[in-house]
Amino acid sequence: MKPMAHLGVGIGWRPEIADAVERLSGLDWVEVVAENVCPGHLPESLLRLRERGTRVVPHGVSLGLGGADRPDPAKLAALGERAVALGAPLVSEHIAFVRTSSPVLEAGHLLPVPRTRDALDVLCENVRIAQDALPVPLALENIAALFSWPGEELTEGQFLTELVERTGVRLLIDVANLHTNRVNRGEDPAAVLDAIPLEALAYVHVAGGIERGGVWHDTHAHPVPPVVLDLLAELRSRVEPAGVLLERDDDFPPEAELAGELAAIRAVVTAGRAAPVEAATAGSGPAGADPGTDPGIGPGTDPGPVEESVRTRVALGQAALLSALVAGTPVPEGFDRRRIRVQARALAAKRADVVAKLAPELPVILGGPDPYREAFLSYAKSRPMTSGYRRDALDFAEDLLIRDLPADPAARRRLTTWWRDRAGARPPRRIVRWARTLVGRAA
């Protein structure tokens, strides 16, 4: 297996810290959330970084390759366009499911797939579809989880190993997620690192989190704790990673703190460094990579198309779980009900936070963060997300208007104007509001 192209030490590029990222000394590369950039209108900061020779890797969050449905060709094409526009040596995504099609529900979050033979068969076929469609190699990340699936047949190490053997996909190992799963699911990070094929390692994520009530929350909004750096050192003792990246998505610290965290990561990576990893020429960029595959990894025997009955079984399990998380239906048998309640609250809170970021006018119209949050969480209890966060913001505003809210007429007029400007339509007439309200009650 050929080594990965050397990336070095990098940071997740976010608009809020774009200026700071440009000033960070010794920065080798950055990763950008793929869905947050447009190929034809790349941020000036990213263009300047590219001109300086800083590599940029797009990191997708919406493919849902672990879902029961086959990957959306439009989403695959969009991810590939971003890879080409950024001159990326590879793209990355997650081993997770994010939606169901029957019923149509969006989690707005990365949820764990069951480590079963059925789920692995579906994932492997979805990965091969993605590899065939993408212009550069694909790496997949292990995710953090609050709960486990009942009836799992494989360990994390076995699941990841067989995924690599059957598809030739690269791995993106998040050591913070290994720690999260140690706390939340009782999994041994060292056992995972011992079991997986580290020659398939593309790069590594490092991030912070916090423990509350015996549950570790992978927030990406707190400093990297020593225990996560210790796991990075555990991995480093086994292999020299081609790249290591610091993720931070919220509550961004001062620039000096970011630089300090990068320095701590670099110190772990360089400790006892062996001979430098030889950069692979093949797969080092769109021009040198075979479409959708890494020429250094050979997929195993393709067992052929997954039977629809297998996809149906996976779909039923995922739909039952997601419905319990976002639509208030009963928790499926075998799940830890307390953990599912924690996850459901976390999903609703994340929806509220993301909608407030995408539509900052809404908290202002509704009288501040607290009234906004109370109203949104009430809405979320009966209105699961079906079409992404931007549509969710419009649906939330429409739901308020249907119920003649907010109570203040001036605020209601401002909300009406906001909704009309973005929805391109008149607010529902009173008779329509009544009808929709009755339908919602009947459901």
Side-chain angles (χ1 to χ4, degrees), residues 208-428:
I210 189 170
E211 186 171 352
R212 290 192 296 264
V215 173
W216 186 269
H217 297 268
D218 180 45
T219 64
H220 292 195
H222 293 82
V224 177
V227 67
V228 171
L229 289 178
D230 289 345
L231 283 179
L232 177 61
E234 280 272 354
L235 183 148
R236 176 63 185 80
S237 70
R238 292 162 170 79
V239 66
E240 183 173 354
V244 181
L245 184 119
L246 170 65
E247 285 189 297
R248 187 79 179 224
D249 293 323
D250 208 347
D251 289 342
F252 298 100
E255 187 175 330
E257 285 188 34
L258 288 176
E261 289 205 300
L262 283 173
I265 291 169
R266 188 175 288 108
V268 173
V269 172
T270 57
R273 169 170 283 171
V277 174
E278 179 186 351
T281 53
S284 61
D290 290 338
T293 63
D294 184 331
I297 307 176
T301 303
D302 185 348
V306 175
E307 294 182 4
E308 288 306 312
S309 60
V310 173
R311 285 190 179 272
T312 298
R313 287 196 296 270
V314 173
L316 289 173
Q318 292 180 348
L321 172 62
L322 186 52
S323 183
L325 288 170
V326 303
T329 59
V331 177
E333 190 67 30
F335 283 95
D336 184 323
R337 284 173 166 74
R338 185 182 72 84
R339 287 294 176 89
I340 296 301
R341 287 195 297 270
V342 172
Q343 182 72 82
R345 289 195 296 269
L347 292 180
K350 181 178 180 179
R351 279 177 71 186
D353 291 344
V354 175
V355 167
K357 286 183 179 180
L358 291 174
E361 305 87 353
L362 291 178
V364 175
I365 292 171
L366 296 179
D370 291 340
Y372 157 78
R373 194 172 187 84
E374 181 180 355
F376 189 92
L377 293 178
S378 175
Y379 151 82
K381 288 180 181 178
S382 59
R383 292 289 300 274
M385 184 165 55
T386 59
S387 299
Y389 286 112
R390 296 187 187 280
R391 182 70 249 178
D392 206 22
L394 290 172
D395 289 346
F396 168 54
E398 182 178 339
D399 182 74
L400 291 174
L401 294 173
I402 286 171
R403 295 186 289 123
D404 286 329
L405 295 173
D408 176 39
R412 194 161 61 250
R413 285 194 296 271
R414 290 197 298 273
L415 184 62
T416 298
T417 300
W418 181 92
W419 184 88
R420 182 191 296 124
D421 288 347
R422 287 153 183 80
R426 293 183 178 181

Side-chain angles (χ1 to χ4, degrees), residues 78-148:
L79 183 57
E81 288 171 0
R82 283 149 179 80
V84 172
L86 294 167
L90 77 163
V91 297
S92 57
E93 248 286 355
H94 300 82
I95 302 168
F97 82 100
V98 298
R99 66 181 61 85
T100 58
S101 58
S102 181
V104 176
L105 296 172
E106 288 276 347
H109 188 71
L110 302 164
L111 295 175
V113 301
R115 289 178 297 213
T116 62
R117 288 289 170 190
D118 280 355
L120 181 60
D121 287 345
V122 169
L123 173 63
C124 287
E125 184 172 83
N126 288 350
V127 167
R128 287 192 290 270
I129 292 170
Q131 289 171 317
D132 288 342
L134 292 169
V136 292
L138 171 67
L140 293 181
E141 178 181 351
N142 61 306
I143 72 162
L146 280 172
F147 60 88
S148 297

